[in-house]
Every structure is written in C-alpha cells, then in structure tokens.
C-alpha cells in the first residue's frame, strides 16, 4: 500500500472523527439549550405563580373581589380605573416587571388590567377551571400577546372562589438571558472541535507506531484468518496474558467451559474449577477437569516471542462422549465376561451330565439335570441374587460379583430389595450402577475392615429404578451434610465416572446423591434414582414383539 493511499485513509478518518465530534457537540448543545429554555420557562411560571398566590392572599384584594362579585350590577369601568384593585395591580406590575397583573370577579370581568380600556370586559382566556378552585400555570395568548401566566383563585372568607388573579411574563423577557448563553455554547463547541482535531493528530501518530504501519485492510485480513482458525476447529482455545487476563476465547471454549464473554476478564473471576485455572496459568501442562456435565482434557502451552513471555494458551478438548463410550464398553465387557463364565460353567455341567449318563447312572443324571434347571446354569458368588428377577440385572450383578470376588470383595444383594418389572434402559442402568459398584469395591479394598463387602439394594418405584450401594470402606474423607449431591473431588478419588453417572441419572428426572458418608460399621452409602428405567409390566404379561 502506497503512502498516498495511507494519506487518503488518514484524511477519511480525520473527517469522520471531526464529523462525529461535531455531531456530539451539536447534540450536547441542543440538549443543553433545550434544558436551559425549559428552566427559563419553569422559572417564569414559578415566579408568576408566586406573585399570583401572594395577591390572592392579600386581605384588601380578597375583600374588594368579594364585594365586586357579590354586587348585583356589573362593575363600572370608569370607577375601576381609579379603584383600589387597579392601583394594587399597577404597583405589583411595576415592581416585578411582569407583563400584566389582571384581577377578575367570578364572571371573568376584569377588575384590574394594564390597559384601562379593557376594564369591565370579560377576559379573553378561559377562567372556569380557576373558579372551581384550581391553579392554572401555562403559556397562553391573550390581548397582550403570548406569555407565561399563572392563574390563582381568590377566595372569600368562607373559602369559596369569587374571582381570579392572573399574572403573566412576556416571552421576550423570559428569554433575555438566552443570547449570552448561546454565545458561550458556541465558544465551547469551537474549543471542543479544536481539541478534537489536536487529539486526532496525536492518536494517528500513536496508531501508526503501535500497528507498525499495518493498514485497516491488512488488519481485516488478520482478523479473518484468526476467526477462521479459532472457530474452524472443534477444540476450545483460550489465550491469557501475563496478568491472567483472557485475551482470546473462541466459541468452543465458551461452550465447553460454560462461560459468557470472558474476554477482558481475569481467569480467576470466571468461576472455573481449580484444575482449569491452574492449567490456564501454565501451572500444569496437562490436566483433566469436570465442568458441568462435560469431561474436559486440558493442555497448556506457553507463548513466547523473541525470548519474551507473552502469556499462555489453553487447549480444551471435550472427552465426554469418549468417556461415555468407554463406560458403555466396560458394561459390554462385563456382560461378555458374565456370558463367558456362564458358557464355561454350563459346558462343565453338561460334561458332568454326559459322564453320569455314560456311566449308566441315569437316576443321578436326572437329579443333576433337575437341579441345573432349578438353580440355573451358573452359581454367581452374590448372596441374595435370587431377589433380583430381571434377567439383565441378574446377569449384570452376577458378573460384577465375579469381578469383586477376584479382588477379595463379597458382593451381596440386600434382603429388602424388591424389583417389579423389567429394565428397559439397560445401558444407562449399567453405567450408573456399574460405576457405583466399581467405586464401592475400590473403597472396600482400600478400607481397613474385614471381611470386605459391598451391598446393593434394588427397589422399583413405578417406572423408576432406585438403587443404593454401601461398602465396608473407610467412608468419605470430608463428610458432606446428608443428603447431598455427589462431589467428585471428595469421593473415592474418581473425578470422571461419578459426574458422568450423575449426568446420566438426571437425563430422565433422576439424580445421584450421598445418603451416608460412612460410620463405625460401614463406609459410604450412595443412592441413585433412574427415571423411566423400568417397564412395570410383569414379564409374563408383556406382549411378544
């Protein structure tokens, strides 16, 4: 870009700058002038009202007006010229500089007026509202021209309106102070424009220095490139300066972290978890954090240029779907292991039955097969498992019992378990219940109590499935008040599975919470309600697909 082009751009900016300042000055001047006019009008109206009220309370005026209103005949204009009311009105007009002071009776007949020829005539402006007892302040046009006038009722001894006092100030007299004010406003506006011109020249010089001569078209290209890069990727990007102030945050980062308009704010003031703040400040190279119902992976990178530290950039990746898929794959693995155990055990029992038949022990083979039909193909190491009638939940708890037994923990079903219906959201049930059982087994292994056990209670509430899981572990290190939703930072050291299980439970109106943080004879007790997880229809009444 040539110097001539830069000059033309600077000229355009100068003209735009001066036009904006001129517009602002004009608007401010207009507003100030309007306020000044309004104030002058208000002062004139207030002065007129004060004079009228004073005259209306004067005993001589009240007596004279009452007498004139009570007379049966109309007032004599010749007598009014030299009357007491005319003299009082003329004195007040001379002292206050008012345009007029008019006094009337209850029929609007002028008893005092600046023009003697108008005495005895009816006033040219409305007077009925004043005679009802109201005060009227307004700008009206009468025989003496437009004026700011105040009308006040004159009352007799009984308080009944018997006439009115009308005091007015001429428009030209009200705005006598306006020309000097306009001159002052003009000088102020000119000074403002001169200062604006000087300020622009200084700003243009500073601008060229800060942008290294980069012109607006080039800045637009830079912004377009930055926007395309930041918003064109699925990862969140947050850039902080050396003071921990957010300078750049793309839409993906705002969405993942649940923040709104973070640019220009300190990272500490955004209400983010400590892990996110530490990673953003460069205290951790990599970290994981749970924000809301999202499982995020964080990676921090310092930014340097020419050996100077400029801040840090935080890359935020959403791993919620990946972890949820991992949980579901773990459920599939568990069920696969259970099926493998069933297959192996069933094959062994078939070999036993075949051996008995080959040996000619038909009676023993028949008894063995009857026991196999009655007790099932596999004897899972889970006490009370027969209380769970649902096939899926029966097999799932059995598989979990096998895994727990391998770690030296006995899994059992509570005697108060009662399940009516069948599970219809198997994946969600397996994810939530499996996570609770896995955490409980880990806690039992780490606990000081023996024997090590985990107890599961399964209850049905119409279409909701309610489960509780207790263990023999050490309990929660910082017990919360009961009942309280889970806090993944304090429970068994699992910061990913529990929040995911909580989010799954809440999808259909359920929840996951802590019933008991632990006591002398047991560890922590968790509960979960899974809404719409059961089909309450008994298996034998369900329609075949």
């Amino acid at each position: 870009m040539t110097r001539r082009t830069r000059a033309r751009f600077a000229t355009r900016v100068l003209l735009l700058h001066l036009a904006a300042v001129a517009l602002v000055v004009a608007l401010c001047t207009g507003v100030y002038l309007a306020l000044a006019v309004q104030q002058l009008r208000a002062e004139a109206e207030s002065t007129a009202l004060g004079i009228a009220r004073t005259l209306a309370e004067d005993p001589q005026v009240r007596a004279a007006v009452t007498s004139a209103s009570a007379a049966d005949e109309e007032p004599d204009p010749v007598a009014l010229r030299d009357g007491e009311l005319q003299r009082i009105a003329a004195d007040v007009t001379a002292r206050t500089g008012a345009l007029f002071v008019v006094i009337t009776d209850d029929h609007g007949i002028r008893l005092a007026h600046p023009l003697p020829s108008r005495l005895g005539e009816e006033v040219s402006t409305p007077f009925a509202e004043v005679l009802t007892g109201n005060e009227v302040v307004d700008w009206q046009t009468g025989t003496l021209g437009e004026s700011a006038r105040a009308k006040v009722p004159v009352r007799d001894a009984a308080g009944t309106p018997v006439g009115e006092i009308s005091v007015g100030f001429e428009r030209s007299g009200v705005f006598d102070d306006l020309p000097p004010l306009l001159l002052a406003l003009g000088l102020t506006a000119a000074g403002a424009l001169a200062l604006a011109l000087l300020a622009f020249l200084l700003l243009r010089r500073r601008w060229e220095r800060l942008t290294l001569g980069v012109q607006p078209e080039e800045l637009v290209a830079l912004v377009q490139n930055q926007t395309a890069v930041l918003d064109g990727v699925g990862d969140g990007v947050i850039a902080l300066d050396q003071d921990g102030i957010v300078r750049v945050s793309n839409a993906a980062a705002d969405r993942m972290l649940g923040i709104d308009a973070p640019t220009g704010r300190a990272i500490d003031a955004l209400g983010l978890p400590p892990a996110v703040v530490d990673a953003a400040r460069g205290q951790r190279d990599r970290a994981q954090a749970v924000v809301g119902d999202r499982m995020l992976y964080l990676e921090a990178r310092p930014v340097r240029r020419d050996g100077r530290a400029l801040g840090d950039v935080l890359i935020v990746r959403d791993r919620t779907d990946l972890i949820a898929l991992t949980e579901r794959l773990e459920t599939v693995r568990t069920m696969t292991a259970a099926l493998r155990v069933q297959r192996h055990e069933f094959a062994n029992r078939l070999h036993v039955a075949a051996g008995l038949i080959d040996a000619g022990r038909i009676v023993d083979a028949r008894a063995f097969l009857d026991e196999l039909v009655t007790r099932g193909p596999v004897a899972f190491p889970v006490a009370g498992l027969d209380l769970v009638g649902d096939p899926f939940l029966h097999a799932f708890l059995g598989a979990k019992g096998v895994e727990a037994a391998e770690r030296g923990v006995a899994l059992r079903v509570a005697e108060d378990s009662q399940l009516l219906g069948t599970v219809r959201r198997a994946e969600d049930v397996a994810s939530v219940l499996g996570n609770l059982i896995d955490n409980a087994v880990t806690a039992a292994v780490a606990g000081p109590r023996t024997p090590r056990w985990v107890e599961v209670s399964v209850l049905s509430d119409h279409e909701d499935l309610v489960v509780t899981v207790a263990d023999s572990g050490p309990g929660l290190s910082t017990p919360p008040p009961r009942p309280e939703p889970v806090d993944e930072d304090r429970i068994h050291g699992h910061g990913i599975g529990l929040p995911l299980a909580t989010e799954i439970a809440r999808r259909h109106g359920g929840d996951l919470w802590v019933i008991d943080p632990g006591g002398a004879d047991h560890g922590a007790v968790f509960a979960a309600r899974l809404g719409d997880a059961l089909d309450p229809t008994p298996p034998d009444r369900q329609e075949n697909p």
Side-chain angles (χ1 to χ4, degrees):
M1 186 173 293
T2 65
R3 183 177 182 85
R4 183 179 179 183
T5 304
R6 290 198 296 268
R8 287 201 301 269
F9 173 77
T11 302
R12 292 196 302 269
V13 172
L14 172 60
L15 294 177
L16 180 61
H17 177 80
L18 292 179
V21 173
L23 178 60
V24 172
V25 170
L27 290 176
C28 293
T29 302
V31 171
Y32 184 80
L33 183 61
L35 293 176
V37 171
Q38 184 178 3
Q39 183 178 1
L40 291 174
R41 290 170 61 98
E43 289 178 356
E45 294 171 355
S46 176
T47 302
L49 181 61
I51 295 172
R53 286 175 175 173
T54 302
L55 278 176
E57 296 296 329
D58 186 90
Q60 295 180 0
V61 175
R62 295 178 63 183
V65 174
T66 301
S67 177
S69 298
D72 295 334
E73 298 178 354
E74 293 185 358
D76 183 9
V78 177
L80 291 175
R81 293 179 182 181
D82 299 326
E84 183 180 12
L85 292 179
Q86 180 70 2
R87 179 183 57 80
I88 293 174
D91 291 342
V92 172
T93 302
R95 288 197 309 268
T96 61
L99 176 63
F100 62 81
V101 174
V102 177
I103 303 175
T104 71
D105 62 6
D106 58 349
H107 291 86
I109 303 301
R110 298 185 180 98
L111 304 178
H113 194 273
L115 300 177
S117 61
R118 297 290 185 177
L119 293 174
E121 299 178 359
E122 185 176 334
V123 293
S124 60
T125 56
F127 59 90
E129 184 177 357
V130 180
L131 293 179
T132 61
N134 297 323
E135 295 178 344
V136 176
V137 179
D138 198 0
W139 286 73
Q140 295 179 348
T141 301
T143 58
L144 298 177
E146 185 181 9
S147 60
R149 61 184 65 192
K151 298 180 179 181
V152 176
V154 179
R155 302 177 186 273
D156 58 12
T160 303
V162 294
E164 74 167 358
I165 303 293
S166 179
V167 179
F169 284 89
E170 190 177 4
R171 170 180 285 274
S172 59
V174 171
F175 299 116
D176 285 343
D177 296 334
L178 208 54
L181 181 61
L182 290 176
L183 178 60
L185 288 176
L187 294 176
T188 303
L193 291 176
L195 289 177
L197 178 59
L198 178 61
F200 170 75
L201 295 175
L202 296 176
L203 286 175
R204 184 176 64 174
R205 181 179 179 183
R206 178 66 174 171
W207 180 9
E208 292 290 341
R209 184 184 303 173
L210 290 177
T211 60
L212 301 178
V214 178
Q215 297 305 303
E217 293 80 2
E218 298 171 335
L219 292 176
V220 170
L222 291 176
V223 172
Q224 291 174 341
N225 294 337
Q226 181 188 33
T227 302
V229 171
L230 293 180
D231 295 338
V233 297
D235 295 341
V237 179
I238 296 181
L240 282 72
D241 61 14
Q242 286 292 86
D243 298 325
I245 305 299
V246 178
R247 296 305 179 189
V248 175
S249 179
N250 65 350
D254 296 346
R255 183 183 66 256
M256 294 179 193
L257 298 176
I259 53 182
D260 183 27
T263 304
R265 300 165 59 187
I267 190 69
D268 298 333
L270 299 179
L272 298 173
V276 178
V277 177
D278 293 344
R281 287 185 170 275
Q283 299 177 7
R284 302 184 185 179
D285 293 338
R286 293 178 176 83
Q288 291 182 346
V290 179
V291 180
D293 57 354
R294 297 181 182 275
M295 319 313 170
L296 304 180
Y297 176 79
L298 311 172
E299 182 178 357
R301 299 175 182 177
V303 178
R304 293 180 175 273
R305 183 173 182 178
D306 298 332
R308 177 185 173 187
L310 301 179
D312 297 278
V313 172
L314 180 66
I315 309 299
V316 184
R317 297 184 176 91
D318 192 349
R319 292 294 182 262
T320 305
D321 295 337
L322 179 61
I323 294 175
L325 180 60
T326 302
E327 291 284 340
R328 294 186 177 183
L329 290 177
E330 179 65 19
T331 301
V332 173
R333 187 193 65 81
T334 300
M335 298 304 298
T336 303
L339 292 175
R340 185 180 299 111
V341 171
Q342 286 184 339
R343 176 183 175 280
H344 180 72
E345 183 68 17
F346 189 69
N348 290 339
R349 295 193 177 188
L350 287 180
H351 285 302
V352 172
L356 292 175
I357 294 175
D358 292 341
R361 299 169 57 182
I362 304 302
V363 177
D364 293 337
R366 180 64 182 176
F368 180 78
L369 291 175
D370 290 341
E371 181 182 1
L372 182 62
V373 171
T374 303
R375 303 182 67 178
V378 177
F380 289 114
V382 180
L385 187 59
D386 293 339
L387 297 174
V388 180
D390 177 72
F392 165 77
L393 207 54
H394 187 282
F396 181 75
L397 290 175
K400 285 295 182 183
V402 173
E403 292 182 350
E406 294 176 352
R407 302 181 64 182
V409 179
L411 179 65
R412 66 193 185 208
V413 178
E415 296 180 357
D416 58 353
S417 297
Q418 185 176 18
L419 182 64
L420 302 178
T422 57
V423 174
R424 60 182 172 191
R425 288 198 297 112
E427 291 183 353
D428 292 347
V429 172
S431 297
V432 175
L433 182 58
N435 187 272
L436 292 179
I437 293 176
D438 291 343
N439 289 349
V441 170
T442 301
V445 172
R449 299 183 181 93
T450 54
R452 298 167 179 169
W453 53 266
V454 172
E455 184 177 80
V456 179
S457 173
V458 182
L459 300 171
S460 56
D461 183 7
H462 299 288
E463 296 183 355
D464 293 353
L465 175 65
V466 181
V467 298
T468 62
V469 178
D471 59 66
S472 61
L476 305 184
S477 57
T478 54
R482 296 185 300 175
E484 177 178 305
V486 296
D487 182 350
E488 64 272 9
D489 292 332
R490 302 184 301 184
I491 300 171
H492 299 327
H494 294 270
I496 298 296
L498 281 176
L500 179 61
T502 303
E503 192 270 334
I504 293 175
R506 291 174 178 173
R507 287 176 183 172
H508 299 274
D511 206 348
L512 192 152
W513 66 94
V514 179
I515 295 180
D516 191 338
D521 56 347
H522 62 81
V525 181
F526 289 83
R529 173 182 287 271
L530 295 167
D532 195 30
L534 295 177
D535 185 352
T537 305
D540 56 351
R541 297 183 182 178
Q542 295 180 3
E543 297 181 358
N544 293 326

